[in-house]
């Protein structure tokens, strides 16, 4: 009923333009219908969010803002298609072509409107997940990964179907499709070989969305760099390094190559650092100092089962002390290691300077009946301060006399 009244109204407007050439009058009639639909769509999209019952609903505002162009295109296509029936200045072939074109545009607008609506709904869900207050929720990151990857695959698939459906409106394309299916044997082989990398990445994206070897904001080690998963697309992954560089990696790489994922099961990590100290280091006292300083580190996760202070290795000059402690995440692990190293070196310099590595030179006599240098000169005792600054080693007030042409103690 409404359509019939609209067509009659357009027919009366067309009669008013009958003094113009018939094709020009028909074109002006279609432009007039498009202009009226555009004004009407603006009234709807601008006035609807201001209604009293809808003014406070943020989702209505978001969906109208996202679909404003789609709604206007819908109304314009419908208005112009209905007005086409009231035109008299086009040939039958032109009218049939315009009907097919308007139907093609309608299908395209409908398909991409559905895609945009689907993206809006998934964005709303992702915003709800990310708005929750949590430090590192693996479940939330798993949902983000699945939604982002499957959304891209769905959009690509639905977009291809939309374009194919819109083109099938034209009879020439339908004939081309029939001839293409007739030669599907050779064509499928050629297309399969040429599209193998793209299909591999698409299938890898589906597998990653299901099995999830990587997730959004996972921390990976790639080419020796720390990198966070910033974006997972249908065919590639964007990794963000600590210095804000970006790696663009094919998504199939993560199914075909081994890599390190430091946050796959839990974001917590163990910090491990080494100190190379002198053999005179009292390890028990060093362990007490380590526990005292560790308690002052803000990045320690307070897990006492993961701490340790052990002699990890020795060589001819020094011993290697390994210090371990837990941190909440990778950034905390790095900061914890730097903090512990700084604190331990400060305590060693002030309280146990003899623990710092030193080079040694052995002074021996030439023959068994000769004496080497005095022990207090070769290796003087260390003044370990009870209070106050370090005063240096105890040196003899008067150095031993050195006979001309020889060492002390030699004839």
């Amino acid at each position: 009923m409404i359509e019939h009244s609209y067509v009659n109204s357009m027919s009366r407007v067309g009669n008013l333009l009958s003094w113009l050439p018939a094709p020009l009058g028909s074109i002006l009639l279609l432009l007039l219908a498009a202009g009226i639909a555009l004004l009407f769509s603006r009234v709807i999209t601008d006035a609807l969010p201001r209604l009293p019952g809808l003014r406070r609903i943020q989702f209505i505002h978001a969906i109208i803002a996202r679909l404003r162009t789609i709604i206007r295109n819908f109304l314009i296509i419908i208005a112009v298609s209905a007005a086409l029936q009231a035109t008299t200045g086009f040939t039958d072939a032109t009218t049939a072509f315009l009907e097919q074109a308007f139907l093609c545009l309608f299908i395209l607008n409908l398909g991409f409107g559905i895609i945009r609506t689907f993206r809006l709904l998934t964005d709303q869900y992702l915003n709800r997940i990310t708005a929750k207050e949590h430090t590192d929720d693996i479940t939330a990151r798993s949902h983000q990964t699945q939604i982002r990857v499957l959304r891209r695959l769905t959009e690509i698939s639905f977009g291809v179907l939309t374009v194919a459906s819109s083109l099938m409106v034209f009879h020439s394309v339908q004939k081309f499709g029939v001839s293409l299916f007739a030669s599907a044997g050779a064509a499928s082989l050629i297309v399969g070989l040429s599209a193998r990398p793209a299909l591999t990445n698409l299938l890898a994206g589906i597998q990653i969305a299901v099995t999830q070897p990587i997730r959004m904001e996972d921390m990976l080690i790639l080419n020796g760099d720390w990198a966070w998963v910033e974006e997972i697309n249908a065919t590639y992954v964007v990794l963000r390094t600590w210095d804000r560089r970006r790696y663009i990696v094919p998504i199939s790489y993560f199914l075909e190559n081994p890599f390190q994922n430091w946050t796959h099961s839990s974001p917590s990590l163990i910090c491990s650092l080494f100190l190379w100290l002198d053999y005179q280091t009292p390890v028990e006292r060093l362990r007490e100092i380590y526990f005292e300083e560790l308690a002052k580190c803000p990045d320690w996760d307070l897990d006492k089962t993961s701490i340790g202070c052990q002699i990890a290795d020795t060589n001819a000059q020094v011993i290697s002390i390994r210090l371990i402690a837990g941190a909440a995440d990778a950034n905390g692990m790095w900061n914890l290691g730097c903090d512990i190293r700084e604190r331990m070196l400060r305590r060693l310099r002030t309280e146990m300077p003899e623990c710092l590595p030193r080079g040694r030179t052995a002074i021996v006599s030439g023959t068994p009946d000769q004496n080497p240098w005095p022990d207090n000169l070769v290796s003087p005792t260390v003044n370990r301060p009870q209070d106050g600054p370090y005063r240096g080693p105890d040196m003899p007030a008067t150095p031993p006399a050195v006979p001309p042409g020889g060492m002390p103690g030699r004839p």
Side-chain angles (χ1 to χ4, degrees):
M1 185 65 180
I2 296 177
E3 182 181 359
H4 183 69
S5 301
Y6 177 77
V7 172
N8 290 336
S9 300
M10 288 293 103
S11 298
R12 289 194 292 270
V13 174
N15 293 331
L16 296 176
L17 300 175
S18 60
W19 56 276
L20 293 172
L24 181 59
S26 298
I27 293 174
L28 290 178
L29 183 62
L30 296 180
L31 293 177
L32 179 62
I36 294 174
L38 179 61
L39 293 175
F40 184 67
S41 65
R42 287 187 174 181
V43 171
I44 293 177
T45 54
D46 293 340
L48 189 60
R50 300 179 182 178
L51 294 178
L54 303 178
R55 185 175 301 174
R56 296 183 179 181
I57 302 178
Q58 296 298 328
F59 180 74
I60 298 297
H61 291 265
I63 195 170
I64 291 178
R66 188 72 65 91
L67 300 180
R68 190 186 303 272
T69 303
I70 300 295
I71 295 173
R72 290 177 179 176
N73 292 339
F74 262 126
L75 294 177
I76 291 174
I77 294 173
I78 293 173
V80 174
S81 300
L84 184 63
Q85 302 178 14
T87 58
T88 57
F90 298 132
T91 62
D92 293 340
T94 302
T95 302
F97 175 77
L98 290 177
E99 289 178 349
Q100 293 176 350
F102 291 151
L103 181 58
C104 176
L105 293 176
F106 181 84
I107 294 174
L108 288 174
N109 196 62
L110 177 63
F112 288 108
I114 294 174
I115 292 176
R116 188 167 293 185
T117 304
F118 177 69
R119 175 173 283 269
L120 174 63
L121 295 175
T122 53
D123 285 341
Q124 292 289 330
Y125 180 71
L126 290 174
N127 291 335
R128 285 177 53 191
I129 293 177
T130 55
K132 295 180 179 179
E133 295 183 357
H134 54 265
T135 54
D136 194 347
D137 191 347
I138 294 180
T139 303
R141 293 194 287 112
S142 299
H143 288 175
Q144 290 184 42
T145 303
Q146 290 176 339
I147 291 174
R148 291 179 186 275
V149 175
L150 295 179
R151 180 175 68 180
R152 288 296 176 88
L153 296 175
T154 302
E155 290 176 352
I156 292 175
S157 303
F158 199 81
V160 171
L161 291 176
T162 299
V163 174
S165 301
S166 62
L167 293 179
M168 291 298 289
V169 171
F170 299 96
H171 297 294
S172 59
V173 177
Q174 293 178 354
K175 295 178 181 179
F176 176 76
V178 173
S179 61
L180 181 63
F181 281 116
S183 59
S188 61
L189 180 60
I190 296 174
V191 172
L193 292 175
S194 61
R196 187 180 64 84
L199 294 176
T200 299
N201 285 321
L202 286 175
L203 295 176
I206 297 175
Q207 187 172 351
I208 283 180
V210 176
T211 60
Q212 295 191 354
I214 60 174
R215 291 181 294 264
M216 296 296 298
E217 293 303 324
D218 268 352
M219 210 214 76
L220 313 179
I221 302 298
L222 188 68
N223 296 335
D225 280 334
W226 290 17
W228 285 264
V229 179
E230 184 177 57
E231 185 178 349
I232 301 178
N233 293 296
T235 57
Y236 64 92
V237 177
V238 180
L239 303 179
R240 181 185 71 254
T241 62
W242 65 273
D243 55 355
R244 301 178 184 175
R245 290 177 290 120
R246 301 297 191 274
Y247 279 108
I248 310 299
V249 185
I251 199 168
S252 59
Y253 174 89
F254 299 98
L255 298 179
E256 300 172 355
N257 299 280
F259 61 94
Q260 296 184 41
N261 187 340
W262 285 15
T263 56
H264 183 268
S265 301
S266 172
S268 62
L269 295 168
I270 300 296
C271 171
S272 176
L273 60 95
F274 292 85
L275 297 177
W276 287 267
L277 302 176
D278 192 82
Y279 269 89
Q280 294 184 5
T281 302
V283 179
E284 291 298 331
R285 175 57 183 158
L286 182 70
R287 188 174 292 115
E288 293 176 2
I289 294 176
Y290 170 61
F291 294 157
E292 292 173 4
E293 295 298 327
L294 180 62
K296 303 175 184 177
C297 295
D299 293 297
W300 179 40
D301 61 1
L302 304 179
D303 183 8
K304 295 184 179 181
T305 62
S306 62
I307 62 176
C309 176
Q310 301 168 317
I311 299 179
D313 197 6
T314 60
N315 57 32
Q317 290 79 30
V318 294
I319 61 175
S320 176
I321 305 295
R322 188 183 72 159
L323 308 177
I324 59 175
D329 51 27
N331 285 329
M333 181 195 70
W334 174 263
N335 294 330
L336 178 64
C338 297
D339 193 11
I340 291 177
R341 191 178 292 111
E342 180 180 348
R343 291 174 181 273
M344 293 298 295
L345 291 178
R346 182 172 62 247
R347 292 287 296 272
L348 289 174
R349 285 196 306 267
T350 57
E351 300 181 20
M352 295 190 298
E354 72 276 11
C355 298
L356 300 178
R358 293 175 293 173
R360 287 182 170 85
T361 301
I363 305 298
V364 297
S365 59
T367 59
D369 57 346
Q370 293 179 343
N371 297 324
W373 284 7
D375 292 338
N376 61 347
L377 182 62
V378 174
S379 179
T381 58
V382 175
N383 286 324
R384 181 176 300 170
Q386 299 296 330
D387 54 356
Y390 172 60
R391 296 185 297 273
D394 287 333
M395 300 293 291
T398 302
V402 179
M407 293 193 310
R410 288 190 176 183

